[in-house]
Amino acid sequence: MRPILLKGNLVSLGILLREDLRQVWLWYNDREVRRYLAFPEEIFFYEDELEWYETLRREKRGEKVFSILENSSRSLVGLVGLHRIDYHNGHAELGYFLAREHWGHRYGSEAVKLALEYAFTWLNLRKVYARVYEPNLPSIRILEKNGFQLAGRWKRHQYVPGEGFVDVLLYERFRE
Ligand SMILES: CC(C)(COP(=O)(O)OP(=O)(O)OC[C@H]1O[C@@H](n2cnc3c(N)ncnc32)[C@H](O)[C@@H]1OP(=O)(O)O)[C@@H](O)C(=O)NCCC(=O)NCCS
């Protein structure tokens, strides 16, 4: 059991537990999950994961990371986070990933919707932004369905293994 912060129809956002970390570490090293994330080439050690968790717990003001829980089974399926939270300017950067076996059920879309609700209603932020690589069509779809608009692009900015340099799209969503 764990505290549920926001409940949706398909998934809910809960507190990330230390006991989730081994599972998250396995998913985070899956090259298909990493493909369109920052540092796709990187290998993450379990000890890195533990240190990251401790930092997250101690410096919770600047970053909120939620576990995404499937409502039907209550099991962990991925993570969604608000990073670089800037209370002075009222914005944060959104990031998310799901375990590969849970893709395609609209869990990503609902997790982003709930993370926006947390950002706007609970943290009182005014804007959330995201960086997405151009070939990541499911992720672009998730952002657009959640009201994000394309704000700009960095051309041939990110090297994706096997695909070469791709554009990075900058998306933003205001509270209104
Ligand atoms: C991106 C990710 C979170 C998507 O999660 P998901 O739960 O499978 O996504 P959803 O089912 O909520 O929505 C995907 C949408 O993209 C659409 N889609 C899927 N594949 C597509 C494709 N090849 N082309 C266009 N649209 C596509 C789906 O039809 C769906 O849209 P719809 O609801 O209008 O039908 C998941 O694939 C993931 O974790 N990827 C690895 C990490 C990552 O890339 N994170 C994002 C970094 S910006």
Side-chain angles (χ1 to χ4, degrees):
M1 288 291 282
R2 73 178 86 208
I4 298 297
L5 300 167
L6 288 176
K7 193 161 168 37
N9 295 320
L10 302 167
V11 293
S12 299
L13 301 192
I15 291 180
L16 184 65
L17 305 179
R18 186 183 293 272
E19 67 209 48
D20 297 329
L21 295 181
R22 193 158 285 274
Q23 182 68 81
V24 170
W25 173 63
L26 289 173
W27 293 337
Y28 209 56
N29 277 297
D30 176 341
R31 293 302 113 180
E32 287 308 309
V33 169
R34 288 226 61 80
R35 177 176 295 274
Y36 300 129
L37 296 179
F39 313 112
E41 76 288 0
E42 206 49 86
I43 294 166
F44 294 95
F45 290 86
Y46 185 58
E47 288 72 16
D48 300 335
E49 192 84 15
L50 296 174
E51 278 178 27
W52 168 77
Y53 186 75
E54 281 310 308
T55 309
L56 194 67
R57 193 176 62 78
R58 273 200 227 100
E59 296 165 23
K60 50 178 88 64
R61 201 165 148 75
E63 190 172 28
K64 311 281 176 204
V65 174
F66 309 99
S67 52
I68 306 172
L69 305 159
E70 187 177 49
N71 287 348
S72 56
S73 66
R74 296 185 169 208
S75 58
L76 180 72
V77 295
L79 298 185
V80 59
L82 296 164
H83 311 277
R84 302 169 199 271
I85 302 174
D86 178 337
Y87 293 95
H88 180 74
N89 291 302
H91 54 59
E93 178 168 10
L94 177 70
Y96 41 90
F97 77 88
L98 296 172
R100 212 194 308 182
E101 63 263 34
H102 297 293
W103 292 359
H105 301 295
R106 307 225 158 87
Y107 293 170
S109 303
E110 196 174 59
V112 166
K113 179 171 172 264
L114 294 171
L116 287 175
E117 184 183 336
Y118 201 89
F120 294 145
T121 306
W122 292 89
L123 298 178
N124 197 23
L125 299 180
R126 45 182 281 282
K127 173 180 173 172
V128 172
Y129 60 95
R131 281 177 283 174
V132 58
Y133 307 159
E134 194 166 42
N136 196 353
L137 298 176
S139 188
I140 290 172
R141 178 84 186 118
I142 286 178
L143 294 173
E144 290 182 344
K145 275 202 304 184
N146 274 290
F148 282 78
Q149 292 195 330
L150 187 62
R153 79 167 62 214
W154 291 330
K155 288 191 179 163
R156 294 181 294 284
H157 189 78
Q158 173 72 29
Y159 179 75
V160 174
E163 298 182 38
F165 284 93
V166 303
D167 289 5
V168 174
L169 309 184
L170 310 171
Y171 274 88
E172 63 187 3
R173 157 81 207 262
F174 284 90
R175 181 164 55 191
E176 307 77 46

